[in-house]
Amino acid sequence: MTDRHASAHWEGDGKSGKGTITTQSGVLDNNPYGFNTRFENEPGTNPEELIAAAHASCFTMALAFQLQAAGLKAESLDTKSVVTLVKDGDGFKVTKSALTLNARIPGIDKAKFDELTYNAKTGCPISKLLTAEITLQATLA
């Protein structure tokens, strides 16, 4: 089992408050996020962008392993994920992650390509996470 972690810090209310995100690896280190980065395209990141990055990279790596198991090797796999956030009553919800793949894989036929991309889409851990149980342990200081 592998555990990875990230943390978020927030100060202020929802619209005018500001936060930072830090990841275990340090790739993100107190990177800003807030209403403006989420809904108004200001510099910084947002949860949906991070989910999109995680899903695109996870799917692409899963496909590379599917290809390897089939005795194939990609020249290139370029995946984009578009995560859709919509209004949901008084809040919002993510309704989908749309993956788009452009691949160059010598020696693969369409049927095998369809099989392996399907397996990668349904088998990558982030695809599974998007329908996973969510737990919460909360304490009030």
Side-chain angles (χ1 to χ4, degrees):
M1 175 168 24
T2 301
D3 289 332
R4 302 286 185 219
H5 68 266
S7 60
H9 174 78
W10 189 267
E11 294 178 3
D13 65 19
K15 188 160 186 178
S16 63
K18 300 291 181 197
T20 58
I21 298 171
T22 300
T23 59
Q24 175 181 350
S25 69
V27 169
L28 298 177
D29 186 14
N30 292 311
N31 286 65
Y33 82 105
F35 183 88
N36 293 340
T37 66
R38 196 171 195 181
F39 298 107
E40 297 175 355
N41 294 319
E42 291 291 320
T45 192
N46 60 72
E48 294 74 33
E49 176 183 71
L50 297 171
I51 292 168
H55 202 196
S57 60
C58 183
F59 164 80
T60 304
M61 184 180 279
L63 180 55
F65 277 108
Q66 288 286 321
L67 292 166
Q68 180 180 337
L72 299 163
K73 184 177 179 181
E75 287 180 8
S76 65
L77 301 172
D78 295 295
T79 307
K80 179 179 181 179
S81 169
V82 176
V83 170
T84 301
L85 179 71
V86 300
K87 188 82 170 128
D88 182 37
D90 290 337
F92 294 87
K93 72 177 179 179
V94 171
T95 58
K96 70 176 157 178
S97 175
L99 296 169
T100 304
L101 169 68
N102 289 310
R104 289 194 328 201
I105 307 165
I108 196 167
D109 62 33
K110 178 74 167 116
K112 184 56 106 177
F113 179 74
D114 290 346
E115 173 192 344
L116 297 181
T117 55
Y118 174 82
N119 291 345
K121 180 190 79 150
T122 58
C124 100
I126 300 301
S127 289
K128 293 176 181 180
L129 171 69
L130 296 176
T131 59
E133 173 188 4
I134 298 171
T135 64
L136 173 64
Q137 180 180 345
T139 58
L140 183 61

